[in-house]
Every structure is written in C-alpha cells, then in structure tokens.
C-alpha cells in the first residue's frame, strides 16, 4: 500500500507542456521544418482513411474507389478548414475590426495551426461528391462509411493543438490541468506563470474516440444507411463541441443572437446540430425505394444489371444454357407414345414417311429404337 502511495505521489498533478514541436530537415538551400501539428493532422488522416477503407470494402464498393474519392475530399477539406478558421478568427490576418493591420501572408501557413472543422466538412463533402460521381458510387453510402473515420481522424489530429500549445481552456486546479509555457505567445497576459489550464484538446479527443465506438455499435445494431449515420456523427460531434468550445479562452469571433453573445463556433455547433437532427428525422420517414447498394443507378458492375432489375421486380434470374441449342432440345424430346428419344431426323421427313410394313430408312431407325414409326411429328414441349 505504501508503495502505491509513493508511486501516486510521483505522478505529476498536471499535463506538462510539450518540449518538442517538430524537427528540421537539412536541405542544400536551408532547412525544412516539419511541425508536430502537421504530423498529427497527417496521422489523423491516415487513421481515418484506414477505418473508412475497411468499412467501404465491406459494403461491396469497387476496389480502390476510396482513394479516388479522398484524392478530392482531402484537399477540398483542408482548404475549407483553413478558410473557415480565417473567417472565424480574422484579427491575425486582417487586424482588429478589419483595420488592415493584420498579416495576409499568414493565411496559407497552415503549419502554424488553424483549421476549422466546419469548413473542412462542408468543402470536404463537396470534394467527396466529385469523387463519388467519377467513381459511380453514392455519396450517401460513402458518408455513412466515412462517419466513424471522420471522428477518428479528428481525435488524432486534435493533438496538434497540444504541441502548438493553443486552443486551451480557462484556468483550473484539476490534477489534469495543462501547463503552458509562460513565454508562449498564446499564454494569457497578466496570468501567473504557474497557472494550469483546461486541456480542451484532450477533452475533444476523448469525446471523439467515444463517438467512434458509439457510431460503430449503432451501425452494427441497426444497419444505419442513406447518410443517416453521417448525420448522427454531426449531432454527436456538435453536442460535445458546444461545451468544449465554451471553455476556450483564445481570441475568436463573438456573435450576439437572441440576447446571448458567445463564440461563433458555439452558434455554428448549435445550428449544425439542429440541421442534422432534422435531416436524420426526415430521412428516417422517407420510404426506401432503392436497393442497399453503394453504386449509382446504372453504374453497377457488368452482369449485375439484369439481376438487380429482376430482383426488384420480384422475378428470379435464370442463366440460359449456353451449350444446348433450341433444335437440340427438340430433338431430344421423348416420343409421346413410346417414351423413346428420336434421332436427329427432320420433322418434314418424318411426316412424309409411308406407314406400313414397307421397309425403309425410317423403319430401320424406328426398329433400332425399339418402336414402330407412325408417321406423326413429335409434339413440342417445354424447353429445359
């Protein structure tokens, strides 16, 4: 027991500030700085793509189509995320009150941090739509497959805020309080150097990981389709983002609505949650008219079109016999009187053959089969 207490006493009562934020790669003309923030974003993209590709393949999507989609979705998402951040936190780029004292050259410097999830999702969906159309698959099916992967990517990427020492919450005395270097530009002015802050990056990361588990469980239990899992993702994420965003103390655009002034991201989260809730309900009320397929109508793999149409019409699809021809089928039909099978003799000749004891070719054929020729043509039957 004493050993456990001693071990507990050695555990730091706070989250230390990072002492590493990236590394430099020497080049002939200088050095290339690789930021930890960028590495976290990249690691999140890789993790999200892995989960999405696994789920996409299980839905019967064409092999390799996930890469054809994300090659459009990821660049669009990064651009959208950066644009939203610039709009929601404009002072550094345009100056307070857009007085022109900001630095516009900072806008493309994504490595310094600053990606807004809402812009990333909106433009990312636009890019995904382009990729889906080119690949012949449904956007709604891809969004459902990608929803848990989006949360996983956000959970990993959010650690970039830790290495940048940014987007933390207000002061706290909790044992998991976050240390921020007092000489860091993001350290609040006039605050004691030993002040601890709420690690909002950690709150959001854990919230997102829990969301991944919840979405996977709901999809496995209820087989959620028609983009409804994506709208569940939007509702879950915004539900957590409201209270996490309200804890932050960094500079952000303040919006006043209904007599309440709060951060733009808080209002955005509320409105997105309501819109996602309405979309989820309306899609649930809509009767499903299409089969559960990831393909766009008319873009199914070759050979599946006739089967899909027959299944939808309630008919069973039968493959034609590629070997036995129609004439061979008639020749192999049994005789109505004797049950024997005729040889391949034209019907006209059989009808013209004389009846009686006079021997002839037809009689010889009939004798070989063990029956007497009657001169009547065999009746047509059902083709096998």
């Amino acid at each position: 027991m004493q050993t456990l207490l001693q071990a507990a006493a050695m555990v730091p009562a706070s989250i230390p500030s990072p002492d590493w934020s990236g590394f430099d790669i020497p080049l002939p003309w200088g050095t290339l700085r690789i930021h930890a923030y960028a590495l976290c974003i990249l690691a999140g993209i890789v993790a999200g793509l892995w989960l999405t590709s696994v789920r996409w393949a299980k839905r019967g999507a064409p092999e390799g189509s996930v890469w054809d989609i994300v090659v459009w979705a990821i660049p669009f998402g990064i651009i959208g995320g950066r644009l939203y951040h610039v709009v929601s936190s404009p002072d550094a780029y345009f100056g307070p009150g857009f007085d022109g004292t900001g630095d516009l050259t900072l806008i493309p410097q994504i490595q310094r941090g600053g990606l807004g999830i809402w812009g990333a999702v909106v433009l990312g969906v636009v890019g995904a739509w382009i990729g889906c159309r080119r690949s012949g698959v449904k956007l709604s099916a891809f969004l459902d497959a990608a929803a848990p992967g989006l949360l996983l990517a956000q959970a990993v990427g959010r650690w970039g805020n830790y290495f940048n020492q940014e987007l933390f919450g207000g002061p706290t005395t909790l044992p998991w309080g976050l240390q921020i270097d007092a000489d860091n530009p993001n350290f609040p002015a006039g605050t004691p150097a030993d002040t601890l802050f709420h690690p909002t990056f950690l709150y959001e990361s854990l919230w997102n990981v829990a969301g991944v588990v919840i979405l996977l469980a709901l999809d496995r239990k209820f087989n959620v389709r028609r983009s409804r899992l994506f709208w569940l993702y939007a509702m879950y994420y915004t539900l957590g983002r409201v209270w996490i965003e309200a804890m932050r103390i960094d500079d952000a655009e303040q919006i006043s609505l209904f007599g309440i002034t709060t951060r733009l991201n808080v209002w955005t989260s509320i409105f997105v949650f309501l819109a996602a809730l309405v979309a989820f309900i309306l899609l649930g009320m809509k009767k499903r008219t299409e089969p559960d397929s990831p393909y766009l109508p008319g873009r199914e793999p070759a050979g599946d079109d006739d089967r899909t149409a027959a299944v939808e019409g309630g008919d069973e699809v039968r493959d034609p016999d590629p070997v036995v021809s129609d004439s061979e089928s008639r020749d192999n039909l049994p005789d109505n009187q004797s049950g024997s099978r005729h040889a391949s003799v034209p019907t006209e000749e059989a009808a013209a053959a004389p009846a009686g004891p006079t021997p002839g070719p037809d009689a010889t054929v009939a004798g070989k089969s063990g029956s007497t020729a009657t001169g009547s043509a065999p009746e047509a039957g059902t083709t096998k």
Side-chain angles (χ1 to χ4, degrees):
M1 185 63 177
Q2 186 177 1
T3 304
L4 292 176
L5 293 176
Q6 291 176 350
M10 296 176 61
V11 175
S14 63
I15 300 175
S17 60
D19 54 4
W20 177 82
S21 61
F23 58 91
D24 296 321
I25 298 178
L27 297 173
W29 54 86
T31 58
L32 174 64
R33 179 68 176 174
I34 304 299
H35 292 264
Y37 179 89
L39 293 176
C40 290
I41 297 296
L42 180 61
I45 291 175
V46 171
L49 279 179
W50 167 77
L51 182 56
T52 299
S53 62
V54 171
R55 288 173 49 79
W56 190 230
K58 288 183 178 180
R59 299 201 173 194
E63 184 178 358
S65 61
V66 66
W67 307 109
D68 298 332
I69 298 171
V70 300
V71 75
W72 290 90
I74 291 177
F76 272 65
I78 293 176
I79 294 173
R82 186 59 173 178
L83 291 177
Y84 182 87
H85 167 74
V86 171
V87 172
S88 60
S89 303
D91 289 357
Y93 313 101
F94 304 100
F98 296 88
D99 59 5
T101 60
D103 186 359
L104 295 178
T105 63
L106 295 176
I107 293 179
Q109 298 184 33
I110 301 178
Q111 72 276 7
R112 294 176 175 267
L115 290 174
I117 184 60
W118 306 122
V121 170
V122 171
L123 276 191
V125 169
V126 173
W129 176 79
I130 297 174
C132 286
R133 298 294 295 182
R134 294 170 62 90
S135 300
V137 295
K138 298 176 183 176
L139 175 63
S140 58
F142 180 76
L143 291 179
D144 284 337
L150 279 173
L151 270 181
L152 181 60
Q154 291 172 239
V156 177
R158 185 55 70 182
W159 280 81
N161 299 142
Y162 168 70
F163 290 102
N164 274 7
Q165 300 191 50
E166 62 182 359
L167 303 183
F168 44 84
T172 181
T173 57
L174 293 172
W176 56 81
L178 175 65
Q179 297 179 13
I180 299 295
D181 294 334
D183 58 350
N184 189 285
N186 296 320
F187 193 89
T191 305
D194 58 350
T195 302
L196 302 180
F197 302 91
H198 279 286
T200 50
F201 82 92
L202 180 61
Y203 298 161
E204 186 169 329
S205 181
L206 295 176
W207 177 267
N208 291 344
V209 170
V212 173
V213 177
I214 292 173
L215 289 182
L216 291 176
L218 289 175
D219 191 31
R220 183 174 183 180
K221 178 72 174 179
F222 301 105
N223 193 30
V224 186
R225 292 295 185 270
R226 292 180 295 171
S227 76
R228 298 184 78 206
L229 193 70
F230 174 79
W231 294 115
L232 277 176
Y233 147 78
M235 284 189 287
Y236 177 85
Y237 178 73
T238 53
L239 190 63
R241 185 62 184 267
V242 167
W243 63 269
I244 295 174
E245 184 72 26
M247 298 176 66
R248 291 177 177 170
I249 59 175
D250 56 286
D251 294 334
E253 192 73 9
Q254 301 290 319
I255 302 295
S256 297
L257 292 175
F258 312 110
I260 302 174
T261 301
T262 187
R263 299 162 67 93
L264 173 61
N265 284 333
V266 173
W267 287 119
T268 303
S269 299
I270 294 173
F271 290 134
V272 171
F273 176 87
L274 294 176
L277 178 61
V278 171
F280 180 82
I281 294 174
L282 292 179
L283 288 171
M285 296 172 59
K286 184 179 179 182
K287 185 178 180 180
R288 180 178 297 184
T289 58
E290 297 179 355
D292 185 17
S293 169
Y295 292 94
L296 287 169
R299 301 291 296 273
E300 297 85 356
D304 290 350
D305 298 348
D306 294 338
R307 292 180 177 274
T308 302
V311 170
E312 293 176 355
D315 299 330
E316 181 182 358
V317 178
R318 298 177 182 271
D319 292 328
D321 190 341
V323 179
V324 181
S325 65
D326 186 67
S327 60
E328 291 174 338
S329 300
R330 289 196 300 268
D331 293 339
N332 292 330
L333 288 174
D335 185 83
N336 290 336
Q337 292 184 358
S338 63
S340 62
R341 299 184 180 272
H342 289 275
S344 299
V345 180
T347 305
E348 292 81 7
E349 294 181 8
T358 305
D362 294 314
T364 304
V365 173
K368 289 181 180 180
S369 62
S371 61
T372 303
T374 61
S376 62
E379 298 181 0
T382 305
T383 304
K384 291 184 180 179

